[in-house]
Amino acid sequence: MYELKRIVISVNLTNLDEEVVRYASVVSHIMDADSVYFVHVADTLDLPEDLAKQYHDVLAPVDETIKHEIQHLIDNYFPHGESTQISIDVLQGKPTDELIRYGKQKDTDLIILGKPESSSTKINLAKVAEISASSVLFVPKNADIKIDKIAVALDFSDHAKMALTQAVKFTKEGEDVTIYGHHVYQIPKGYSKTGKSHEEFSQIMEENAKKESKKFFASNSLQEDVFEMRYQLSEDAKIDDELFGFAQQKDVDLMIIGSRGRTAAASILLGSVAERLLAYQTNIPLFMVKEKNSNMSFLEALLSI
């Protein structure tokens, strides 16, 4: 599993920026980041012609004004003297595509951006989650900067291992961090042909999940007793409802899911489930852990890089 050493923070000049930067400073410290890149993408950096003519001796270039605002946020939340290298870039173009392209150009390990309460954002969050070559962390309004309880979606795959590995890193900052492993299972439609009742087959599925769990923890040299496991039956196939329902029940500070990049065998979590997770109105940050550069051929073709 790669380290999260190169982090991009998307700044959109909204009232959510301060919370995103504050949360990003905590994550950057925990991950001991080497480089943090602040970026804003504007549709245009040109002043209206009338204003440019009338106030040409007074108004600073738009990009310089934006950089000044971002620097003010950095000064408030990123302590001076730390070894992390910080830079600011202001770009022009389509915000979603330029952010994804910028992340690729900087060989980013993690993109952090805000998740606004409305859908009015210029950045397509689901597209960033699906196409970016790195992991993505979405920070909603009123996110708690303390990270004491973490929920990790587990299907016992390699991608679940990546998610769990990242969760463990947060425990380094505090001995009292609790990690909940959450496995959601479903009963196959043809179960009645086995002669078992719905309740009986549900029990069989849960016992099988527990066996898979033990095998998963053992094969990945993880101590199962470090995590609190929850096995949950999903009756309506809406996995996202179960994931966030559990996270809210446990009052967690962060939800982590592992997901594949956009390949021929695209992950369910990068399809409709990811979109529905991002649509939830909650103050729980959502961390989508991806295998770095797993979707590069698709990304390069899409962005024509």
Side-chain angles (χ1 to χ4, degrees):
M1 179 64 196
Y2 64 93
E3 300 288 322
L4 303 180
K5 294 296 186 180
R6 301 173 67 85
I7 299 175
V8 164
I9 302 172
S10 175
V11 179
N12 297 316
L13 304 184
T14 68
N15 57 10
L16 188 54
D17 285 340
E18 185 166 1
E19 296 193 53
V20 171
V21 173
R22 180 180 62 176
Y23 197 90
S25 70
V26 174
V27 174
S28 172
H29 176 72
I30 291 173
M31 298 301 170
D32 191 24
D34 293 331
S35 302
V36 175
Y37 304 93
F38 290 83
V39 61
H40 172 76
V41 183
D43 293 322
T44 178
L45 293 174
D46 296 327
L47 283 169
E49 188 174 349
D50 291 346
L51 285 177
K53 288 181 179 180
Q54 187 174 358
Y55 300 104
H56 69 279
D57 291 332
V58 179
L59 295 178
V62 174
D63 62 328
E64 292 182 14
T65 301
I66 293 172
K67 283 185 177 181
H68 178 75
E69 290 189 33
I70 296 174
Q71 185 62 57
H72 179 68
L73 288 172
I74 294 171
D75 291 341
N76 284 341
Y77 295 106
F78 277 75
H80 294 287
E82 290 197 352
S83 59
T84 303
Q85 293 186 336
I86 294 175
S87 63
I88 305 172
D89 286 299
V90 177
L91 310 176
Q92 177 176 294
K94 297 179 179 179
T96 303
D97 292 347
E98 289 302 324
L99 175 60
I100 295 171
R101 182 181 286 110
Y102 183 83
K104 186 265 181 183
Q105 291 172 342
K106 294 299 184 182
D107 191 27
T108 303
D109 303 313
L110 174 65
I111 295 175
I112 302 178
L113 67 165
K115 187 170 82 71
E117 294 176 308
S118 68
S119 57
S120 60
T121 177
K122 292 184 178 181
I123 295 178
N124 185 326
L125 305 184
K127 187 175 181 181
V128 174
E130 185 171 4
I131 298 173
S132 66
S134 67
S135 299
V136 187
L137 173 58
F138 298 94
V139 181
K141 189 174 180 59
N142 298 321
D144 199 329
I145 61 170
K146 70 173 178 60
I147 304 176
D148 293 335
K149 293 185 283 188
I150 302 172
V152 184
L154 293 181
D155 61 0
F156 313 126
S157 66
D158 289 341
H159 299 89
K161 178 188 175 182
M162 291 194 303
L164 207 54
T165 301
Q166 292 298 349
V168 170
K169 291 182 181 179
F170 286 91
T171 65
K172 296 178 181 178
E173 286 297 306
E175 297 179 0
D176 296 329
V177 176
T178 301
I179 300 176
Y180 298 101
H182 186 203
H183 176 74
V184 179
Y185 63 93
Q186 296 169 319
I187 297 177
K189 292 182 179 180
Y191 80 91
S192 58
K193 295 179 182 179
T194 66
K196 301 289 185 181
S197 68
H198 184 278
E199 184 178 349
E200 288 173 329
F201 211 88
S202 173
Q203 187 63 34
I204 290 172
M205 293 294 294
E206 181 173 341
E207 291 302 321
N208 183 66
K210 290 179 178 179
K211 290 178 182 178
E212 283 192 73
S213 176
K214 288 186 178 297
K215 182 178 178 181
F216 171 78
F217 283 102
S219 63
N220 290 301
S221 301
L222 295 168
Q223 291 182 291
E224 188 174 3
D225 57 0
V226 174
F227 313 96
E228 292 191 26
M229 285 297 301
R230 165 76 177 272
Y231 304 89
Q232 185 173 3
L233 171 65
S234 176
E235 297 281 10
D236 57 8
K238 291 185 178 180
I239 299 175
D240 49 300
D241 284 340
E242 311 294 357
L243 293 175
F244 259 120
F246 175 75
Q248 291 172 327
Q249 175 191 340
K250 292 296 185 181
D251 192 27
V252 304
D253 307 306
L254 177 65
M255 177 189 287
I256 305 180
I257 62 175
S259 50
R260 296 185 182 92
R262 180 64 178 269
T263 63
S267 169
I268 292 176
L269 286 177
L270 284 183
S272 59
V273 172
E275 290 190 22
R276 292 198 297 268
L277 285 172
L278 289 170
Y280 267 81
Q281 295 302 319
T282 174
N283 66 337
I284 303 173
L286 178 62
F287 186 2
M288 293 185 174
V289 179
K290 300 169 67 175
E291 185 177 357
K292 188 175 179 180
N293 295 329
S294 62
N295 60 342
M296 282 309 298
S297 59
F298 179 80
L299 172 61
E300 291 173 354
L302 187 70
L303 297 180
S304 299
I305 296 176

